[in-house]
Amino acid sequence: MHESAMLSLKDVTKTFTMHLRGGVDLPVFADVSFDVAMGECAVLAGPSGIGKSSILKMIYANYRTEGGAIFVRDNLDGAESVVEIAKASPRHIIGIRHRTIGYISQFLRVIPRVSALDVVAEAATAQGRPVEMAQADAGELLTRLNVPEKLWDLPPATFSGGEQQRVNIARGFIADYPILLLDEPTASLDTANAGVVADLIEVKKAAGVAMLGIFHDADIRERVADRLIDVSEFSAVTKSETAA
Amino acid sequence: MDDQPLLSVTGVSKFYGGQIGCNDVSFDLYPGEVLAIVGESGSGKTTLLNCISTRLEPTAGTVEYAMRDGRMSDLYQMGEAERRFLMRTDWGFVHQNPADGLRMGVSAGANVGERLMAIGQRHYGNIRSEAADWMERVEIAVGRIDDRPSQFSGGMRQRLQIARNLVTAPRLVFMDEPTGGLDVSVQARLLDLVRGLVADLGLSIIVVTHDLAVARLLSHRMMVMKSGHVIESGLTDQVLDDPREPYTQLLVSSILQV
């Protein structure tokens, strides 16, 4: 793994085996290799269905990695190490998700009976930020994302889809992760709020966070991407078509 | 990160004559972790839970537990008295049917207070106030402290059972289908309560459930059992979102979508 890289993929391959359909293999991509450096926002590009989201999920260990290796630079109380995600124990992964890798999607997993402000603040208190400070930070983020203050004390279960999404984005950005995975965080946001997300990404970039994202909105992508990684180059589908 | 496991299970098997209850199960559980054991009825998950919690002696294998002084102790090598003391103080066991874990004929307060008396507390006022505290934590009106659990709803009984188990500040709690038989809204409230307690108290839990939604909401890790064998294990969201084994794929694809 290169010295400046926070995240490194080497010959990563993904195939889903569908046992309910007679064990048919669905190859998604093969031999994906790239690095993401500190303070860089790399964006995965390519048509839908090509496996962009699967790459993010594999880095987060939400999906398994069958071939190749994913390396992540971890830092536990000042002790640096390089962790190979697919070989790490579940317990190790839980620790890495707690301190090193954040994952922001457009979907909020609603926790019943917890207020919007606490849903956001919890992500910071879990990393050790004092409660008052975390709540103040949460309020600031919710304000920037135009979530009206009268909603803060309510659980987001009853919010509109857009409001839930913005609560989730606030939750994702409040914590201090050195690596952030952004799975279409701006999908279905209006231009003003998408612009706020782009601002937040720039703040993280300036703080040295390594980011890997998917953005379908061309304007946002243009604004935040330092580099595009074309996933269709690695696609199993494209490859077999080329071979044929 | 705590590097010593709280519980270490090695090669645990239980055979009933020629029948396999569970076969060669090994895993470590760390402080603060919630492990779900999932599978259909008859898959061996309850047998495994009983073997681990000293309710059923395994045919083979060892179960070691980190005592409060830090030494690992083999549960089936320790004396009966020591084992019972452990079960009463450092462990909890939440049954599917609250009637199996509560004394239905005595008051709610006595049900909670009894565990405190078992560890030597004698001051009536203290016991009662601690019982009242715990009833409040599990969201049962303190005014019901002198009522018997037979007068409670199913959800309240289950919450009372949890209070009874947690009053001694256990480090490890076993749960056997804790939400089985409860209405969905009552289930949600119970799961939410348990999640909060795990976060606040740093409890470790081993929960047996056939309900994958319960496993997803509560657990960090899961083991999938079939015919007495653990066929797949790992991070809960990984096993559910990218299941590898045919049987796990079948289970996951059988979840009803709401």
Side-chain angles (χ1 to χ4, degrees), chain A residues 14 17 62 64 91 113, chain B residues 2 192 232 237 242 249:
Chain A
K14 182 67 189 170
T17 304
N62 177 223
R64 300 170 206 267
R91 181 172 151 70
R113 306 202 300 172
Chain B
D2 228 324
D192 187 42
E232 185 157 6
D237 63 285
D242 190 8
Q249 291 190 357

Side-chain angles (χ1 to χ4, degrees), chain B residues 41-70:
Chain B
S41 325
S43 58
K45 53 193 196 302
T46 298
T47 297
L48 176 62
L49 187 75
N50 286 337
C51 285
I52 299 165
S53 58
T54 73
R55 301 164 63 82
L56 181 70
E57 187 155 358
T59 313
T62 58
V63 183
E64 290 178 298
Y65 182 70
M67 307 300 279
R68 293 214 177 213
D69 61 10

Side-chain angles (χ1 to χ4, degrees), chain A residues 87-207:
Chain A
K87 295 206 171 126
S89 69
R91 181 172 151 70
H92 201 162
I93 296 291
I94 290 166
I96 286 171
R97 287 178 178 181
H98 180 73
R99 64 181 173 262
T100 303
I101 310 182
Y103 182 97
I104 305 179
S105 78
Q106 53 178 305
F107 303 108
L108 175 68
R109 192 168 273 279
V110 179
I111 308 164
R113 306 202 300 172
V114 180
S115 77
L117 191 74
D118 285 339
V119 165
V120 177
E122 267 177 8
T125 52
Q127 289 187 329
R129 202 174 306 170
V131 176
E132 299 84 60
M133 199 190 290
Q135 287 190 332
D137 294 345
E140 197 177 307
L141 274 167
L142 289 171
T143 305
R144 282 184 81 170
L145 286 157
N146 302 302
V147 178
E149 190 165 353
K150 63 177 195 290
L151 295 181
W152 296 0
D153 290 333
L154 302 174
T158 53
F159 292 8
S160 73
E163 285 159 354
Q164 288 196 6
Q165 184 182 357
R166 282 174 276 142
V167 169
N168 197 40
I169 288 168
R171 182 179 161 86
F173 278 98
I174 195 173
D176 291 316
Y177 298 109
I179 299 171
L180 267 185
L181 306 173
L182 307 162
D183 193 350
E184 294 196 56
T186 55
S188 73
L189 284 186
D190 59 35
T191 319
N193 281 311
V196 174
V197 173
D199 292 343
L200 293 172
I201 289 171
E202 275 160 10
V203 171
K204 290 286 184 193
K205 214 190 273 186

Side-chain angles (χ1 to χ4, degrees), chain A residues 14 16-20 61-64 66 76 90-94 97 99 109 111-113, chain B residues 1-2 30 33 139 192 195 216 220-221 232 235 237-238 241-242 244-246 249-250 253:
Chain A
K14 182 67 189 170
F16 289 106
T17 304
M18 316 299 274
H19 291 290
L20 300 182
N62 177 223
Y63 282 2
R64 300 170 206 267
E66 284 91 4
L76 175 59
R91 181 172 151 70
H92 201 162
I93 296 291
I94 290 166
R97 287 178 178 181
R99 64 181 173 262
R109 192 168 273 279
I111 308 164
R113 306 202 300 172
Chain B
M1 201 154 52
D2 228 324
Y30 289 86
E33 270 188 345
E139 300 168 13
D192 187 42
R195 279 171 59 107
R216 189 190 281 269
H220 304 113
R221 288 162 50 198
E232 185 157 6
L235 283 169
D237 63 285
Q238 190 182 72
D241 293 341
D242 190 8
R244 174 173 290 168
E245 293 297 317
Q249 291 190 357
L250 178 67
S253 71

Side-chain angles (χ1 to χ4, degrees), chain B residues 187-207:
Chain B
Q187 266 192 29
R189 187 173 182 190
L190 189 81
L191 291 173
D192 187 42
L193 174 76
V194 173
R195 279 171 59 107
L197 292 170
V198 169
D200 292 348
L201 307 173
L203 280 180
S204 300
I205 295 182
I206 297 179
V207 56

Side-chain angles (χ1 to χ4, degrees), chain B residues 103-147:
Chain B
R103 299 223 330 227
M104 301 302 278
V106 304
S107 73
N111 262 289
V112 180
E114 194 176 45
R115 286 253 302 187
L116 290 173
M117 285 163 66
I119 59 169
Q121 287 201 29
R122 287 291 174 265
H123 188 285
Y124 178 77
N126 290 350
I127 291 172
R128 190 173 168 91
S129 76
E130 215 167 318
D133 264 5
W134 266 100
M135 287 183 62
E136 215 164 286
R137 283 187 87 156
V138 300
E139 300 168 13
I140 299 174
V142 178
R144 305 291 305 265
I145 193 165
D146 295 317
D147 292 346

